[in-house]
Amino acid sequence: MTGENQSTTIGELPNANPERTTLVPVVLTRLVWGLCAVSLVAVGARLLGWWPATVALGDAVAVDGLTLLLWVVVTFFSGIVHSYSRRYMAGDSGFVRFFTRVFAFTLVVMVLVAANHAALFAAAWLAMGLVMADLIGHVREWPQAGSAASLARRYFLASSGLLGLALAVSWWQTGATTVAGIGASVGSLPTSTVLLVSALLVLAAMIQSALLPFHTWLLASMTAPTPASALMHAGFVNAGGILLVRFAPVVTVSPEVLLGIVVLGAVSALGGKLLKSVQPDVKRRLGCSTTGQMGFMIMQAGLGFFGAAITHLILHGFYKAYKFLSSGARVERTSPTAESHGAPLGVVGTVATVLSAAAGGAVFVLLTGKGAGLDTGLLLTLVVVLTTLHATRETIGQAELSPVTRAAAVPLVFLPAIAVYGVVYQAVGAVLAGLPVVAAPVPLTLGHGLVAAAFVLAYLAIETGVHRRSRRLYVTLLNASQPPTATVLNSTEDYNEY
């Protein structure tokens, strides 16, 4: 058998591809980092008051605080992906093509977040989806990649169609041709028109952010190179939240619309968490996690806290980019064990978990002032409490850690983390000052109470593992978390080029 005595070496791959000698990847990488540096300077100038609230170029472009902030985020993540890909994509037959697509995606998103004219916004939204679909199908030799790209493209075209229809209806009714103009004129629209436009915008956001039941394209996208997946989960899926923030004056007109957004976000947050629990594949677990996290982001928008939604997408972007780029270290073949779901918490662990969650919520309220009244800010604080509860329970349940270490990790790690979140939230709010709507909390209603109660009960049931007792539920979740067969690489020979 040949190759038995081959030694494994780590280093530069053979220069079998003439494209590798080009300077295109180097130039594009440096250019992206340059854009990131310029964006950082602009944000600093904005915070110091040296940058005007909005810089407009006619009706086409309006650079405001949200634009500057997202330019920093997008170029930073893109810079990481560009730098990482120069080694990761070495030897790939489409080396230059990959870099040009990633750079094009970066520019398109930068245009999207600055676009004020409705036609430019819609065109950038469409182009963003088409470029991402091309990245999903990057490996031309894999039929599965082509199927995944085709599936994603259909979803993105549907999202663009819904957005285009919403903009067309708004223009027909108001005569406004800009995003700002539509927001300013929404008060003159009939209730039925506002509901229609809001529904179209929310559906477009749900598809782009892979919320249930539109998550299939995301689970099928694992044919994309890992750096492209990192950019997708750290940037592309955030487009739904950006869309809702840009059109916040529209979706906040009706309390019923906001409540509906909360319900849709809650379903996706819980559904993503459930789907993740039955997935053994590393990347697909991350995909299910993204569906859940985007649900939380949409929930925050529905609660009227658009600054919190932007904060969530930024912090989630950092987390998910790291997870995808380091996913190779997580791949291993193991068999289920009794400790697969963590060690029992015990009485002390349970008390510590509950107290930590409550303390996390208190720290958030003190730093942000949200949740102190009887409005949707209270539900935002509840989301923070549940997030702290989950993180604390995961740490205390780590069997490989000593009980003392587990107990000490709670106050030393999670409470400062909540404090950092509160500070970032306040900083994001300062940058976004000047937008038509940054926070629009509404009084709590019976509907909010029912949604909150159902969400908490379902969340606690998942945390305690009650759902694992039902084989029917397990099979349902397993089926729901499977992408179309045509997009799955079933055999090692299908993708092992070496």
Side-chain angles (χ1 to χ4, degrees):
M1 182 180 293
T2 60
E4 282 188 338
N5 298 322
Q6 265 189 328
S7 60
T8 301
T9 58
I10 300 176
E12 187 71 16
L13 291 176
N15 188 17
N17 183 4
E19 286 189 337
R20 296 245 22 252
T21 60
T22 181
L23 292 176
V24 171
V26 177
V27 172
L28 294 182
T29 300
R30 293 177 178 175
L31 185 55
V32 168
W33 282 117
L35 290 172
C36 183
V38 172
S39 301
L40 273 172
V41 171
V43 169
R46 161 83 178 184
L47 290 174
L48 293 173
W50 300 344
W51 184 283
T54 303
V55 177
L57 298 177
D59 289 337
V61 172
V63 180
D64 53 19
L66 178 61
T67 301
L68 295 177
L69 180 61
L70 292 178
W71 276 357
V72 171
V73 174
V74 169
T75 53
F76 178 80
F77 289 143
S78 180
I80 293 293
V81 168
H82 274 79
S83 300
Y84 183 92
S85 300
R86 288 175 60 187
R87 175 66 181 88
Y88 184 91
M89 298 298 291
D92 187 272
S93 59
F95 189 67
V96 172
R97 174 166 50 83
F98 176 83
F99 274 88
T100 55
R101 297 301 187 277
V102 172
F103 186 74
F105 176 81
T106 306
L107 293 182
V108 168
V109 175
M110 292 183 72
V111 170
L112 175 73
V113 298
N116 186 36
H117 197 284
L120 180 61
F121 189 93
W125 186 272
L126 173 62
M128 177 180 63
L130 294 179
V131 174
M132 182 51 67
D134 193 67
L135 283 170
I136 292 173
H138 172 75
V139 185
R140 301 289 195 256
E141 295 79 11
W142 294 349
Q144 295 90 341
S147 297
S150 178
L151 176 68
R153 193 175 295 111
R154 291 196 296 272
Y155 273 91
F156 301 155
L157 288 174
S159 175
S160 296
L162 291 167
L163 174 61
L165 184 57
L167 295 176
V169 171
S170 300
W171 167 76
W172 181 264
Q173 293 292 319
T174 66
T177 59
T178 64
V179 175
I182 292 172
S185 305
V186 70
S188 63
L189 293 176
T191 302
S192 58
T193 303
V194 173
L195 292 176
L196 174 61
V197 173
S198 297
L200 293 172
L201 292 172
V202 171
L203 284 173
M206 289 177 65
I207 293 174
Q208 216 81 349
S209 291
L211 266 64
L212 294 175
F214 307 113
H215 65 295
T216 307
W217 73 261
L218 187 67
L219 298 182
S221 69
M222 302 307 164
T223 57
T226 294
S229 294
L231 191 62
M232 184 193 313
H233 289 256
F236 180 82
V237 294
N238 294 327
I242 296 169
L243 178 64
L244 294 183
V245 173
R246 279 300 183 204
F247 288 91
V250 178
V251 298
T252 54
V253 168
S254 171
E256 290 76 16
V257 170
L258 288 176
L259 181 58
I261 294 174
V262 171
V263 172
L264 293 171
V267 169
S268 196
L270 294 173
K273 188 174 178 64
L274 283 170
L275 294 177
K276 178 184 174 183
S277 69
V278 300
Q279 270 296 333
D281 181 86
V282 174
K283 287 188 177 181
R284 203 159 288 136
R285 280 175 62 87
L286 290 175
C288 294
S289 169
T290 294
T291 294
Q293 289 300 321
M294 291 301 99
F296 276 113
M297 180 189 69
I298 296 296
M299 274 184 68
Q300 291 168 8
L303 293 173
F305 294 98
F306 297 95
I310 295 297
T311 303
H312 186 95
L313 68 84
I314 292 173
L315 296 179
H316 172 260
F318 278 102
Y319 172 76
K320 201 53 65 74
Y322 165 76
K323 281 292 187 179
F324 262 99
L325 295 181
S326 63
S327 60
R330 299 283 298 171
V331 178
E332 60 179 343
R333 295 184 178 182
T334 59
S335 298
T337 64
E339 289 77 27
S340 295
H341 302 301
L345 295 183
V347 176
V348 175
T350 301
V351 172
T353 300
V354 173
L355 291 178
S356 298
V363 170
F364 178 76
V365 172
L366 289 174
L367 288 175
T368 66
K370 311 302 180 185
L374 293 178
D375 56 24
T376 47
L378 193 60
L379 298 187
L380 178 63
T381 304
L382 177 63
V383 172
V384 174
V385 169
L386 292 178
T387 302
T388 309
L389 178 73
H390 171 74
T392 305
R393 185 178 180 279
E394 286 287 309
T395 299
I396 294 180
Q398 294 297 314
E400 63 269 19
L401 299 177
S402 68
V404 175
T405 302
R406 282 181 268 162
V410 172
L412 295 178
V413 176
F414 294 113
L415 294 185
I418 295 296
V420 169
Y421 172 78
V423 171
V424 172
Y425 175 64
Q426 293 291 71
V428 168
V431 175
L432 298 185
L435 291 183
V437 180
V438 177
V442 298
L444 291 177
T445 64
L446 178 61
H448 289 106
L450 293 175
V451 171
F455 185 82
V456 170
L457 289 175
Y459 192 90
L460 293 178
I462 297 171
E463 284 291 314
T464 54
V466 173
H467 65 289
R468 298 193 186 100
R469 301 174 186 175
S470 172
R471 293 185 179 181
R472 184 183 297 275
L473 177 60
Y474 174 82
V475 173
T476 301
L477 293 173
L478 194 62
N479 290 334
S481 63
Q482 299 302 314
T485 306
T487 67
V488 179
L489 294 165
N490 295 310
S491 173
T492 304
E493 288 74 18
D494 289 339
Y495 54 83
N496 186 4
E497 301 176 8
Y498 304 104

